[in-house]
Amino acid sequence: MKPYRSLLFVPGHKPDWADKGIRAGAHALILDLEDAVPAEAKDEARTATAATIDRLAGGRTGLVVRVNPLETDLFGKDVAAVVRPGLTALLLPKVYGRDDVLAYDALVTAAEIERGLPRGSVGLIPSLETARSLTNVDEIASAPRVVSLMAAAAKDADISREVGFTWSPGGLETLYLRSKVVLAARSAGLAHVVLGLWQDLRDLDGLRAFARANHDLGFGGQVVIHPSHVGPVNETYTPGAAELDRLRRLVEAYEAGAREGQGAVMFEGEHIDLAHAQNARSALALAGHNEEE
C-alpha cells in the first residue's frame, strides 16, 4: 500500500463528505460502512459507497472501505458491493486472528473474479482493536493480502474497554501495544502501519504531539475523523526540508568516505557507517514517493 500519511473516516452514506476530505488534502479516505452508519441506512450506505468508488477511481486519493464485522450478517454484501476498480483496500474491524483475515481473503477473491479484476488487486488492513488481535498480531500481519495494520489507541474505545487501560494523552498505557504492532508489521515485511485516532477536534496541539510521538515510534500515518486534522497529521508525518537536507548530506559524506576505502566516517560530529547511510536513503526514498503523490 502507498504510504498514506492521513486516512480520513467518511460515513459511507454521506458521499459529499468524501469530496470535503479530498479538498482537505487527505491522502486516503476510509468510506465507513460500520460504526458511522445507523442500522437503517446500511443498504443505502453500501450503494452510495460503491458509487463513490466509481466516481473517484483513478484519482490521487486512496479509497479504503471499512466493512462490517464477520460477526454480523452484513459483511458478505459489503464485500460484494465495494470490491471494484478503484478500491485500494478493505479495513477489517473486529479481527481476532489469522482465520478472520483468511475469510475476508476468500470473499475478496470471489468478488475480484466476479468483477474481472486481477486476483490480489485489493489489500486488507486489519484493525487491531481487540485483546485477541493484539495477542495474535504476528500471524495476522503475515496473512494473505495484508498490506498494512491499523493499531487502535483511541480514548474510551473498544480496545480500552477490552484491555482495561485508562487513556491519557501521553499514551504510556498503550506504548507496549503500539510498539508490538510496529514490530509485528516490520517482521512481516510491512513498511507502512497506521494508528487511530485522536478524538478531540479542537486540541490541534495535542493532535500534533500525539502524531509526533507515534511517528517517532515507527508509524507512517494516522487515521483521522475530521478534515481539520488532516493538515496537522500530514505535516507531522512529513520530514521537513532541513531534515531531508541533513539526510542528503549524511549520504554524501558516507559515500565520499567509501570511495576512499573507509567503512565509517565522521559526519557533523557523529560517527556513521553503512547502516546510517541505508537508513537515510530509505527515509529519502519514502519522502520522494510522498512528494510524487
Side-chain angles (χ1 to χ4, degrees):
M1 189 177 74
K2 295 180 180 179
Y4 300 123
R5 292 181 292 246
S6 56
L7 300 90
L8 174 66
F9 266 118
V10 175
H13 61 309
K14 298 185 177 181
D16 57 319
W17 288 24
D19 298 287
K20 294 178 181 178
I22 292 174
R23 289 195 296 270
H27 288 184
L29 303 177
I30 301 176
L31 306 170
D32 193 16
L33 297 179
E34 195 206 11
D35 288 347
V37 180
E40 64 274 13
K42 294 289 187 181
D43 291 340
E44 174 193 349
R46 193 179 300 117
T47 301
T49 295
T52 299
I53 296 170
D54 291 342
R55 181 169 60 86
L56 299 179
R60 297 173 61 183
T61 307
L63 301 175
V64 178
V65 174
R66 180 166 72 170
V67 294
N68 284 282
L70 291 172
E71 59 199 36
T72 71
D73 296 331
L74 303 171
F75 64 89
K77 293 180 180 179
D78 292 345
V79 172
V82 304
V83 171
R84 55 205 309 115
L87 179 66
T88 303
L90 298 179
L91 180 63
L92 310 181
K94 307 298 188 298
V95 169
Y96 298 102
R98 181 182 175 88
D99 287 348
D100 293 335
V101 181
L102 295 178
Y104 280 112
D105 172 49
L107 288 169
V108 173
T109 298
E112 287 172 339
I113 294 170
E114 181 68 21
R115 296 281 179 181
L117 295 172
R119 295 191 186 198
S121 299
V122 177
L124 299 178
I125 308 173
S127 178
L128 305 166
E129 54 191 321
T130 68
R132 282 171 57 193
S133 67
L134 287 164
T135 299
N136 298 323
V137 64
D138 292 291
E139 65 178 44
I140 290 171
S142 61
R145 289 185 186 270
V146 172
V147 294
S148 183
L149 300 173
M150 174 184 158
K155 181 181 181 180
D156 300 334
D158 290 328
I159 188 62
S160 59
R161 182 184 69 253
E162 282 227 348
V163 176
F165 61 77
T166 300
W167 183 90
S168 69
L172 181 61
E173 68 286 345
T174 62
L175 178 59
Y176 167 72
L177 306 180
R178 290 178 285 134
S179 299
K180 186 175 184 180
V181 172
V182 171
L183 184 59
R186 299 297 185 270
S187 179
L190 301 177
H192 189 63
V193 59
V194 299
L195 184 83
L197 45 82
W198 184 260
Q199 293 180 202
D200 192 329
L201 299 186
R202 298 167 297 178
D203 185 6
L204 297 184
D205 288 338
L207 168 66
R208 290 186 180 93
F210 181 73
R212 171 53 58 188
N214 288 293
H215 169 274
D216 292 347
L217 196 60
F219 287 91
Q222 197 161 301
V223 174
V224 297
I225 56 174
H226 193 271
S228 66
H229 284 189
V230 169
V233 164
N234 285 344
E235 178 184 349
T236 303
Y237 282 90
T238 303
E243 174 60 14
L244 292 176
D245 185 58
R246 188 190 74 86
L247 293 173
R248 294 187 188 98
R249 295 197 311 273
L250 186 153
V251 172
E252 291 169 359
Y254 172 78
E255 291 177 345
R259 286 192 295 269
E260 297 176 0
Q262 301 178 43
V265 300
M266 291 298 294
F267 168 70
E268 299 180 3
E270 296 182 26
H271 178 277
I272 65 167
D273 56 21
L274 178 60
H276 300 88
Q278 289 176 329
N279 183 69
R281 288 172 184 144
S282 296
L284 289 168
L286 179 59
H289 182 94
N290 283 330
E291 288 172 0
E292 293 172 0
E293 291 304 307

